[in-house]
Amino acid sequence: MKEKLVVGQIGCGAFAMEQHGPNSVRNPGIAGIKWACDVNDGNARKYADRFSVKKITGSFEDVTTDPDVDVICIATSHEIHVPIIESAARHGKHIFCEKPMAMTEEQAYKIIKAVKANGVKLW
Ligand SMILES: NC(=O)c1ccc[n+]([C@@H]2O[C@H](COP(=O)([O-])OP(=O)(O)OC[C@H]3O[C@@H](n4cnc5c(N)ncnc54)[C@H](O)[C@@H]3O)[C@@H](O)[C@H]2O)c1
């Protein structure tokens, strides 16, 4: 286990700006935020400027497949949680996901299955 973890932020709207970003930069266990990912480029850029993030993308797979990233923080809208979490887990990333994690039992079971199969942590 690395002493300090690298974060990738997926979803850079209101909650990411006011909670995830400040919490990540204040956390002594976090080395830095490498990615600001949002389908809204303006939101990704605002987040990146505020938290000194070097890389910006509209595609979550850029973040979930980056070998430097240890943890992803998800603050997107809800319908996209399952594919992001499945991809992150498959690539060995730990995951912090905003509530609600899932909108249906089926989505919740898919998420739990992906996390257990790949031995990653999910908050
Ligand atoms: N824990 C809490 O108390 C709390 C409070 C508020 C919101 N939330 C949760 O936080 C999440 C975000 O809420 P918000 O208020 O910041 O919403 P928001 O609409 O301000 O931000 C969501 C962002 O996700 C982006 N997004 C949507 N689909 C995406 C995708 N496929 N890839 C990348 N980015 C994508 C949107 O462009 C937007 O910038 C929601 O799940 C909400 O329920 C939790």
Side-chain angles (χ1 to χ4, degrees):
M1 182 91 170
K2 283 155 77 176
E3 254 177 52
K4 290 194 173 218
L5 305 176
V6 173
V7 169
Q9 179 70 40
I10 303 177
C12 300
F15 205 66
M17 285 293 274
E18 297 312 319
Q19 296 293 331
H20 287 203
N23 289 341
S24 290
V25 296
R26 274 199 299 257
N27 187 328
I30 288 179
I33 308 166
K34 180 167 177 184
W35 287 96
C37 169
D38 202 297
V39 290
N40 177 326
D41 187 62
N43 283 357
R45 284 184 191 281
K46 267 190 237 154
Y47 180 96
D49 287 348
R50 178 156 165 204
F51 300 108
S52 306
V53 180
K54 293 211 169 71
K55 295 186 83 74
I56 293 172
T57 181
S59 166
F60 71 77
E61 284 178 329
D62 288 338
V63 187
T64 56
T65 60
D66 180 341
D68 289 346
V69 171
D70 303 297
V71 181
I72 61 156
C73 290
I74 305 172
T76 62
S77 39
H78 318 135
E79 75 289 346
I80 193 74
H81 286 173
V82 173
I84 296 173
I85 291 172
E86 285 181 338
S87 177
R90 203 164 49 243
H91 291 91
K93 315 303 181 196
H94 301 295
I95 299 150
F96 182 96
C97 181
E98 266 312 322
K99 57 94 180 162
M101 175 182 88
M103 301 301 287
T104 63
E105 279 185 34
E106 190 191 357
Q107 290 176 356
Y109 281 117
K110 278 188 181 171
I111 288 170
I112 292 164
K113 192 173 163 195
V115 165
K116 283 193 171 169
N118 292 284
V120 296
K121 294 183 198 296
L122 170 75
W123 296 265

